[in-house]
Amino acid sequence: MRPTCTKMQKKANRTRKIVLVVHGPNLNLLGTREPKIYGRETLAQIDARLQAAGRRAGVDVRCFQSNTEGALIERVQAARDEAVRFIVINPAAYTHTSVALRDALTAVAIPFVEVHLSNVHAREPFRRHSYFSDVALGTICGLGSLGYDLGLRFALERVAGK
């Protein structure tokens, strides 16, 4: 019996090293949205840089952005079937509100790092609470887009078994 395409894809995914980078709401506006807080770099520039770093390390870095909670949850759930080994996530505004996205991350049991461009602790009081920090392996905030690079570096080391 020949294996089906789906079975062959699943086997290939188990051997491929994949890191998923998830961007929450309004991050598609990077570069133009409040540049004093979020910087002038666009999301496309950040994603390209992260994917290039992944290629250098022999890891497939897949990036996803959505402004809707349901789409983010579905993407995280799909990551398990794709054999994603690590997630770098900036939940953005959902950091402070989304129990559902937190539940999706804990349900798939894929290790993750939480990233924020701004220092959420130096901003409005409602931004100081995260539904993710206590279940993340680490949290990076206030370093601008460099936080994504540091989160990915950590993910790549974990995927490599270091």
Side-chain angles (χ1 to χ4, degrees), residues 20 22 86-91 105 110-116 132 135-140 147-148 150-152 154-155 158:
L20 176 63
V22 178
F86 206 96
I87 296 173
V88 176
I89 185 169
N90 182 344
L105 285 160
I110 298 169
F112 73 95
V113 168
E114 176 185 7
V115 173
H116 298 284
F132 302 87
V135 291
L137 290 181
T139 301
I140 303 167
Y148 281 111
L150 297 172
L152 180 62
F154 180 75
R158 290 293 295 249

Side-chain angles (χ1 to χ4, degrees), residues 112-126:
F112 73 95
V113 168
E114 176 185 7
V115 173
H116 298 284
L117 296 165
S118 67
N119 181 352
V120 294
H121 304 289
R123 297 187 63 196
E124 304 92 338
F126 72 87

Side-chain angles (χ1 to χ4, degrees), residues 76-161:
V76 167
Q77 290 175 354
R80 181 170 52 190
D81 292 336
E82 297 169 8
V84 167
R85 298 200 187 172
F86 206 96
I87 296 173
V88 176
I89 185 169
N90 182 344
Y94 289 130
T95 301
H96 327 290
T97 63
S98 185
V99 174
L101 184 55
R102 171 202 166 97
D103 287 350
L105 285 160
T106 58
V108 298
I110 298 169
F112 73 95
V113 168
E114 176 185 7
V115 173
H116 298 284
L117 296 165
S118 67
N119 181 352
V120 294
H121 304 289
R123 297 187 63 196
E124 304 92 338
F126 72 87
R127 294 188 193 273
R128 295 178 190 151
H129 173 74
S130 169
Y131 280 102
F132 302 87
S133 297
D134 66 315
V135 291
L137 290 181
T139 301
I140 303 167
C141 70
L143 302 179
S145 68
L146 175 61
Y148 281 111
D149 299 282
L150 297 172
L152 180 62
R153 179 178 169 190
F154 180 75
L156 294 174
E157 288 182 6
R158 290 293 295 249
V159 167

Side-chain angles (χ1 to χ4, degrees), residues 52-63:
R55 280 191 299 277
R56 287 191 298 276
V59 174
D60 182 6
V61 174
R62 299 178 183 177
C63 302

Side-chain angles (χ1 to χ4, degrees), residues 1-3 8 15 21 29 63-64 76 84 98 123 125 142 159:
M1 172 186 250
R2 287 184 61 196
M8 291 188 318
T15 59
V21 179
L29 300 176
C63 302
F64 178 80
V76 167
V84 167
S98 185
R123 297 187 63 196
V159 167

